[in-house]
Amino acid sequence: SFRFQWPADLATSWAFEMETLILSWFVLAATGSVVWLTAFAALQFVGTLISPVYGVMGDRIGHCRLLIIMRVTYAVLAGVLAALALTGTLTIVAVFAVAFISGLVRPSDYGMRNALIAATMPAPWLMGALGIERSSADAARVIGALTGAALVAWIGIGLAYVAVCGFYLLSVLLMLGVDESQPNGGARSVGAVWAELGEGIAHVRTTPPLLAAMWLAFLANALAYPLTGGLLAYVAHDIYDIGRTGLGTLVACFAAGALAGSIILSARGGHMRPARTMLAGALLWFALLLVFAVVRDPATGMVLLAITGFVQSFCMVPMAVVILRVAHDRMRGRVMGLRMLAVYGLPLGLLASGPLIAWFGFAATGLFYAGLAIACTAAIMLRWRAELLPVDAPANALQR
């Protein structure tokens, strides 16, 4: 099953990255406003509010079936944008409308991927499988960022979007080869769905390692990823002045570093203490962002992005291992759905960063975000030190 899921996820992530780069540049070029850019980026994550419901659906109908439905939706939306671009009728309104609809679905994709892996892979291989899975997203960022910029420059946005639609359809075909054990059916009414969701929330609230990982995930999305994600178009356009191809290079540098980190974790992650590795990776990640915020040289910024991408893998992959290992088997979908709620920090961080950059500049905003992230991570370590730091804690158990 994993032999089919991994390339399917790779194709989907590749299409995600191409779409993000193509449309981010389109919005920035058409409006000339960082506020509109951050608003567009935030729209892609509106569905985080309903991601727990996707988790319940995954537990009911199977995570594989749910992923197929989601990816068919992506293909249809990409086809709409391709048709508009090819006919010369693509507008900002259409881009924002499609981003909103896609944003209702896309945030839950990554959580359902991990839940499916946990359902199909033996526990001793979980860290390695998640490392490989993470590498698919990281590799897609490298390839997708570079090919997205190159395709638009070569054949135009319309045909580039035809390619995006093709990747989504390829993913759907590959997912048909995944063999997931049949779900137990679960809730049949709206009331029962909410009851199951409440059971998942209670499970997280009463399991300290899960609660700590959820807070750290929210922190990373709200204060770290905006600086190396949605705001990179602004950095390339207004600070480094390196154009659309330069933007693709910036995204690729971060992703290449993350890919290297994921590869190491897939090979050697079983010998690392997950919770300790997660916290150490977070602190170093946020410290590197302090430096990135004040750098004005494109070459130095690219190097820093590569190192930052490498380090963040040592936070995010162990975090997924902690969550999936500690969560009860029958509630993986719900727990991962709740984990995806943390992604809501990303649109919040992006929306707040737009006005802050306009008032105080990118450097001051970046320093504030990274400094606050370090302080909050230290608070998480202090609050849940008994569950996260001891070597014999369940969250630090080595794979066997």
Side-chain angles (χ1 to χ4, degrees):
S1 292
F2 191 71
R3 288 199 300 269
F4 285 95
Q5 183 185 349
W6 182 78
D9 292 347
L10 176 62
T12 301
S13 297
W14 193 338
F16 281 173
E17 296 306 320
M18 290 178 66
E19 277 199 284
T20 299
L21 186 141
I22 292 169
L23 295 182
S24 293
W25 195 265
F26 179 84
V27 170
L28 188 60
T31 66
S33 169
V34 67
V35 176
W36 280 112
L37 174 64
T38 54
F40 162 75
L43 272 181
Q44 300 177 67
F45 300 96
V46 293
T48 52
L49 288 174
I50 59 174
S51 56
V53 178
Y54 282 98
V56 174
M57 291 171 60
D59 288 338
R60 281 183 61 185
I61 68 173
H63 305 104
C64 180
R65 291 179 184 174
L66 181 59
L67 282 169
I68 290 174
I69 295 170
M70 293 164 72
R71 291 171 184 183
V72 168
T73 303
Y74 308 149
V76 171
L77 293 174
V80 170
L81 287 180
L84 291 174
L86 288 171
T87 56
T89 57
L90 184 62
T91 64
I92 288 293
V93 174
V95 168
F96 271 71
V98 171
F100 174 77
I101 298 171
S102 177
L104 292 173
V105 184
R106 186 186 292 191
S108 299
D109 196 279
Y110 291 101
M112 294 305 99
R113 296 180 192 187
N114 289 343
L116 180 58
I117 291 173
T120 57
M121 294 292 286
W125 297 346
L126 188 57
M127 177 74 89
L130 289 174
I132 294 171
E133 171 61 29
R134 185 79 182 188
S135 72
S136 70
D138 296 330
R141 289 190 181 98
V142 178
I143 303 169
L146 295 176
T147 56
L151 281 176
V152 173
W154 179 35
I155 59 177
I157 188 173
L159 291 176
Y161 246 96
V162 172
V164 170
C165 187
F167 281 119
Y168 286 136
L169 293 176
L170 174 62
S171 174
V172 171
L173 292 175
L174 288 168
M175 287 298 293
L176 297 177
V178 176
D179 182 19
E180 182 184 12
S181 60
Q182 291 298 313
N184 57 15
R188 295 291 181 183
S189 66
V190 173
V193 168
W194 286 111
E196 288 189 7
L197 180 56
E199 187 181 5
I201 294 172
H203 180 50
V204 171
R205 289 181 59 189
T206 56
T207 310
L210 287 180
L211 194 56
M214 297 294 183
W215 278 113
L216 187 59
F218 177 82
L219 190 65
N221 279 281
L223 300 176
Y225 279 128
L227 300 177
T228 56
L231 290 173
L232 279 185
Y234 175 81
V235 173
H237 189 274
D238 286 42
I239 296 179
Y240 293 166
D241 191 24
I242 53 178
R244 181 166 46 216
T245 303
L247 169 60
T249 305
L250 289 178
V251 175
C253 285
F254 182 83
L259 175 60
S262 298
I263 291 173
I264 290 176
L265 283 166
S266 66
R268 306 296 299 171
H271 302 283
M272 299 177 183
R273 306 286 179 181
R276 285 186 165 192
T277 304
M278 172 185 73
L279 293 170
L283 288 172
L284 186 54
W285 176 14
F286 303 147
L288 287 167
L289 290 178
L290 287 172
V291 182
F292 176 71
V294 298
V295 167
R296 291 294 178 271
D297 175 59
T300 305
M302 291 175 186
V303 172
L304 272 173
L305 280 173
I307 299 172
T308 303
F310 179 82
V311 170
Q312 64 88 37
S313 292
F314 287 81
C315 173
M316 301 309 290
V317 174
M319 180 189 296
V321 172
V322 169
I323 293 173
L324 290 170
R325 179 179 292 172
V326 175
H328 195 284
D329 290 354
R330 69 183 182 85
M331 288 192 284
R332 284 197 188 106
R334 277 163 279 182
V335 170
M336 289 308 299
L338 291 168
R339 157 65 180 88
M340 297 315 296
L341 272 181
V343 179
Y344 197 65
L346 184 51
L348 292 178
L350 284 168
L351 288 173
S353 68
L356 287 174
I357 291 173
W359 295 334
F360 304 109
F362 179 80
T365 302
L367 289 172
F368 171 70
Y369 270 37
L372 182 60
I374 292 173
C376 292
T377 302
I380 290 173
M381 291 177 63
L382 182 63
R383 171 65 179 82
W384 288 289
R385 59 188 180 278
E387 289 80 16
L388 299 177
L389 298 181
V391 173
D392 57 352
N396 279 314
L398 296 176
Q399 296 181 120
R400 299 300 182 191

